[in-house]
Structure formats: C-alpha cells, structure tokens
C-alpha cells in the first residue's frame, strides 16, 4: 500500500508538470490543442505500454515454463506445491523482466526529456517590461 501511495503522488506531480511543460510557449489560441495532444499521447502510451509489457512478461515466463499461468492454476486446483512453486518462479521471472525493461525505458525517457527540455533555458530569458519605467 505505501508503494501505491508514493506512485500515485509521483504520477500526480509528473502529470501536472508534463502538461505545463508541453503547453509552455504555445500560442494562447493553441493551448487547448496542445493539451489535448498531451492527454491523447498519455492514453495511447498507457495502452501500448501495457500491451508491450504484458507481452514481454508472458513471453519471458513461457520461456522459463510453457503455459506458466495455466500451470499455476492447475497446481492450485490440485494442491501441487511443486507445480505452484515452478509456475510462480517462472511468472516472477517474467514480471521482473518486464519491470526492468520498463525501468530502462523510463531512464532513457528521462535522459531524452532532460536533454530536449527547453523550459529551463527559456524561463530565465529577459521578459519585456509592461508599463514599468526604469
């Protein structure tokens, strides 16, 4: 449960920051379109990411033990502790591989975001004075 709270807090902080960064510098009459594109990209990315990581986890688990999810179910029904242990080990390996791949992709995305981000350089730029006399 604590990990769920930390993840939710982090996602909330990242979603707001990402949206503000995406619409920064966009013409005022186009911010709605930019925001919609960000939201669409989030939804497509989540759906595609889930499909990719699920496929990776199941394929990796099946590489360790063919039909690992079915073997786990059958082991539970029969009460076979050895079959449950083997299937659980294969599934854990698949999930671990998938999570590590996701972590690697997140690190790559972070490097790209840091390298490509322009708001830090432009926020310190001179702002024209409005109605201020020097």
């Amino acid at each position: 449960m604590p990990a769920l709270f930390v993840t939710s807090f982090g996602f909330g902080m990242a979603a707001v920051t990402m949206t503000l960064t995406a619409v920064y510098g966009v013409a005022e009459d186009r911010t709605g379109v930019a925001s919609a594109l960000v939201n669409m990209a989030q939804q497509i990315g989540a759906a595609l990411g889930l499909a990719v990581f699920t496929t990776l986890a199941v394929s990796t688990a099946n590489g360790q033990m063919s039909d690992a999810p079915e073997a786990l179910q059958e082991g539970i029904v029969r009460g076979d502790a050895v079959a449950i242990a083997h299937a659980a080990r294969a599934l854990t390996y698949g999930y671990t591989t998938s999570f590590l791949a996701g972590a690697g992709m997140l690190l790559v995305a972070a490097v790209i975001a840091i390298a490509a981000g322009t708001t830090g350089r432009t926020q310190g730029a001179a702002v024209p004075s409005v109605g201020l006399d020097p």
Side-chain angles (χ1 to χ4, degrees), residues 28-72:
E28 200 171 306
D29 62 333
R30 307 233 181 216
T31 55
V33 173
S35 178
L37 285 172
V38 170
N39 289 325
M40 180 198 61
Q42 283 178 336
Q43 296 300 316
I44 290 174
L48 187 60
L50 179 62
V52 167
F53 292 129
T54 300
T55 301
L56 179 63
V58 171
S59 298
T60 307
N62 283 340
Q64 293 289 309
M65 175 183 196
S66 64
D67 297 328
E70 291 83 5
L72 179 62

Side-chain angles (χ1 to χ4, degrees), residues 43 72 100 107 132:
Q43 296 300 316
L72 179 62
L100 289 175
L107 286 175
L132 298 176

